[in-house]
């Protein structure tokens, strides 16, 4: 664990303001790394922004214990305990900002606000590293990898998926490549349906990362339900254009049923029943609005090409790729990347990745996610009084 003194001297530190002198992240989605602010206190610590360094936390806990014992306080309220804790934190330089973040994250977990973070991107852009680091910083236990879901569906089900990645295949046009990419993403999305549904119902946060994520297809459970209903109605009135399309649709529907049956167990059903309290009108109360945050990672073309070539050469089958095939692979990945980045205009945050400024970027992403969580909590708090007024009316 890197302590505070080590990280405070690291390069690239500027200011402790969430956005510094820059514009809010909601307004600037594509952000160059040279302008990404960094935390001076602990640029590389996974406990930055929300938690304090582990060795300092232990000291504060011991001081709190000593304070309670010395004053013979064996039965105290939660409010008194937190007040004493905040006082000790402030003495060690962790004041208002850390207290506010603590209160915000406490509300977030108590209100059980569903949180879905999507980390999208092509191969070799740092998706797994970013997702894992963010999960540690935000204390989120669940990280799903679409590569594992893809392989599971391909080997254990009848899903129409191949062992060859889509970006290594040859297509007649870019449109054909994107069509096939989206088709595979939809199949993987069905494999994620159970985990997403449980996260929405139980109010559990989840991070999903991988190369098979299409921001257009990952929606909330309510939107997915209405979308599926509409698709079923359309499917009932329209005939498939070809026998192959009909077969693919049939397999996808069968796969969706299998996934749903496997993921919805008795525990989930009981939790669902507990989470549906009714008001005086007998109508079920809807839970907090889910927070869905989509992030697309991209990299400078030169750096990305170098990493891809290293990745290809490290694979056991790397010697089978000819120069022409390598160029096709890189071109296909660039086409998919351009498609993912096109969602920038729809509110998806696009972040440039660079090895030289990775810690600063991670800090910026962490701060951005905390801002989005805080916005979601405020929105939920504002909706609750309005719903109560409507119910009384």
């Amino acid at each position: 664990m890197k302590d505070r003194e080590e990280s405070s001297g690291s390069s690239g530190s500027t200011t402790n303001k969430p956005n510094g002198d820059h514009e809010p992240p909601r307004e600037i989605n594509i952000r160059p790394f040279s302008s990404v602010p960094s935390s001076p206190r602990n640029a590389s610590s996974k406990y930055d922004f929300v938690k304090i360094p582990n060795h300092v936390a232990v000291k504060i806990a011991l001081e709190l214990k000593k304070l309670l014992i010395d004053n013979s306080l064996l039965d105290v309220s939660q409010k008194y305990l937190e007040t004493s804790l905040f006082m000790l934190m402030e003495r060690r330089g962790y004041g208002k900002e850390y207290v506010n973040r603590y209160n915000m994250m406490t509300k977030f977990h108590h209100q059980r606000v569903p949180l879905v973070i999507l980390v999208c991107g092509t191969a070799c852009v740092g998706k797994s590293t970013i997702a894992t680091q963010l999960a540690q910083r935000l204390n989120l236990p669940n990280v799903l990898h679409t590569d594992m879901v893809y392989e599971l569906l391909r080997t254990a089900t009848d899903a129409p998926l191949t062992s060859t990645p889509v970006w290594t295949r040859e297509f007649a046009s870019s449109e054909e490549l994107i069509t096939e990419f989206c088709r595979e993403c939809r199949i993987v999305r069905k494999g994620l349906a159970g985990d997403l549904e449980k996260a929405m119902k139980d109010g559990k946060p989840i991070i999903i990362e991988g190369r098979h994520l299409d921001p257009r297809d990952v929606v909330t459970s309510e939107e997915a339900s209405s979308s599926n209903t509409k698709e079923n109605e359309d499917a009932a009135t329209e005939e498939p254009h070809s026998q192959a399309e009909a077969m693919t649709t049939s397999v996808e529907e069968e796969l969706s049923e299998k996934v749903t049956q496997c993921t919805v167990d008795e525990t989930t059903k009981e939790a669902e029943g507990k989470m549906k309290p009714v008001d005086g009108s007998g109508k079920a109360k809807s839970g907090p609005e889910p927070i869905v945050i989509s992030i697309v990672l991209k990299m400078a073309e030169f750096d990305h090409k170098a990493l891809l070539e290293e990745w290809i050469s490290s694979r056991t089958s790397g010697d089978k790729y000819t120069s022409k095939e390598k160029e096709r692979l890189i071109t296909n990945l660039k086409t998919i990347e351009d498609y993912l980045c096109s969602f920038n205009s729809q509110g998806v945050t696009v972040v440039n990745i660079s090895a030289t400024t990775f810690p600063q970027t991670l800090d910026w992403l962490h701060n951005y996610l905390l801002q989005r969580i805080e916005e979601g909590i405020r929105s939920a708090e504002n909706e609750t009084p309005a719903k109560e007024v409507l119910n009384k009316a």
Side-chain angles (χ1 to χ4, degrees):
M1 182 66 66
K2 296 184 179 180
D3 59 19
R4 181 172 55 181
E5 289 75 21
E6 285 182 279
S7 58
S8 62
S10 62
S11 59
S13 300
T14 54
T15 178
N16 201 38
K17 294 181 180 180
N19 292 317
D21 297 330
H22 310 289
E23 296 182 23
R26 300 301 294 276
E27 298 179 9
I28 300 180
N29 283 332
I30 299 182
R31 192 182 183 101
F33 267 93
S34 59
S35 64
V36 176
S38 172
S39 170
R41 181 182 293 277
N42 200 354
S44 60
S45 173
K46 67 182 180 181
Y47 294 105
D48 196 16
F49 293 126
V50 178
K51 294 184 178 180
I52 59 178
N54 194 44
H55 69 284
V56 179
V58 172
K59 292 179 180 178
I60 293 176
L62 292 175
E63 290 175 0
L64 180 60
K65 179 180 179 181
K66 184 176 184 301
L67 175 66
L68 297 177
I69 293 177
D70 290 348
N71 291 277
S72 301
L73 299 173
L74 303 179
D75 186 12
V76 297
S77 64
Q78 179 69 21
K79 184 177 180 180
Y80 179 86
L81 191 65
E82 289 183 349
T83 301
S84 302
L85 173 62
F86 297 156
M87 177 189 67
L88 295 174
M89 286 171 56
E90 191 169 1
R91 284 181 183 177
R92 289 189 169 269
Y94 298 92
K96 186 176 180 180
E97 179 185 357
Y98 285 83
V99 171
N100 290 339
R101 290 294 170 91
Y102 171 87
N103 289 329
M104 192 243 327
M105 294 306 293
T106 300
K107 284 183 180 179
F108 169 73
H109 289 293
H110 284 177
Q111 294 178 3
R112 304 181 70 85
V113 180
L115 172 66
V116 179
I117 301 173
L118 309 172
V119 183
C120 316
T122 58
C124 300
V125 293
K127 300 178 301 299
S128 298
T129 304
I130 288 287
T132 303
Q133 290 290 323
L134 290 176
Q136 290 176 345
R137 287 181 174 225
L138 295 170
N139 196 24
L140 306 181
N142 302 318
V143 178
L144 286 181
H145 307 276
T146 62
D147 287 351
M148 296 178 62
V149 177
Y150 182 96
E151 283 302 311
L152 180 63
L153 294 175
R154 184 182 69 82
T155 57
T157 69
D158 297 329
L161 300 172
T162 66
S163 59
T164 307
V166 64
W167 48 88
T168 63
R169 302 176 220 155
E170 189 172 359
F171 295 93
S173 64
S174 299
E175 291 76 14
E176 185 178 337
L177 166 63
I178 296 302
T179 300
E180 177 63 13
F181 170 74
C182 293
R183 185 190 70 83
E184 291 188 355
C185 286
R186 286 195 299 271
I187 296 176
V188 173
R189 169 65 175 81
K190 291 180 183 292
L192 297 169
D195 293 284
L196 283 170
E197 183 179 357
K198 188 171 184 179
M200 295 295 178
K201 289 180 179 178
D202 297 352
K204 292 183 178 180
I206 186 173
I207 297 180
I208 305 176
E209 70 83 19
R211 297 171 288 185
H212 304 91
L213 283 178
D214 185 352
R216 178 183 58 182
D217 290 336
V218 186
V219 293
T220 64
S221 57
E222 291 81 7
E223 291 170 332
S225 177
S226 61
S227 176
N228 289 336
T229 302
K230 185 177 185 300
E231 288 178 1
N232 292 336
E233 292 175 353
D234 293 341
T237 56
E238 296 182 5
E239 296 183 356
H241 297 289
S242 64
Q243 185 176 357
E245 182 179 344
M247 186 179 299
T248 300
T249 304
S250 176
V251 172
E252 289 183 0
E253 291 176 353
E254 182 180 354
L255 171 63
S256 179
E257 292 180 3
K258 289 181 179 179
V259 170
T260 303
Q261 291 173 0
C262 292
T263 53
V264 180
D265 54 15
E266 293 299 326
T267 304
T268 306
K269 291 178 181 178
E270 291 178 6
E272 180 183 357
K274 293 178 181 178
M275 293 182 64
K276 290 185 177 179
V278 295
D279 53 21
S281 62
K283 297 181 180 180
K285 290 184 178 179
S286 59
E289 189 70 19
I291 304 172
V292 181
I293 306 172
S294 297
I295 300 169
V296 173
L297 305 183
K298 64 176 296 187
M299 188 176 290
E301 188 172 353
F302 178 81
D303 294 337
H304 197 197
K305 186 175 181 179
L307 286 174
L308 284 172
E309 290 179 348
E310 183 180 348
W311 174 71
I312 292 172
S313 62
S314 66
R315 292 169 61 87
T316 55
S317 59
D319 55 343
K320 296 181 180 180
Y321 285 106
T322 64
S323 298
K324 185 178 179 180
E325 289 172 337
K326 289 180 181 179
E327 287 297 324
R328 184 181 67 219
L329 183 150
I330 293 173
T331 301
N332 286 347
L333 285 173
K334 183 65 170 64
T335 300
I336 295 174
E337 182 181 86
D338 291 341
Y339 167 75
L340 294 174
C341 291
S342 67
F343 289 94
N344 174 49
S345 60
Q346 301 180 27
V348 174
T349 302
V350 179
V351 180
N352 291 282
I353 297 295
S354 171
T356 57
T357 53
F358 188 83
Q360 293 89 343
T361 306
L362 191 59
D363 283 342
W364 183 86
L365 277 171
H366 188 178
N367 197 44
Y368 171 64
L369 293 178
L370 288 172
Q371 289 176 350
R372 293 291 304 273
I373 292 172
E374 187 173 7
E375 291 172 6
I377 292 174
R378 287 177 179 175
S379 177
E381 289 176 345
N382 292 335
E383 285 179 1
T384 302
K387 288 180 180 179
E388 292 178 353
V389 171
L390 290 174
N391 290 334
K392 289 179 180 179

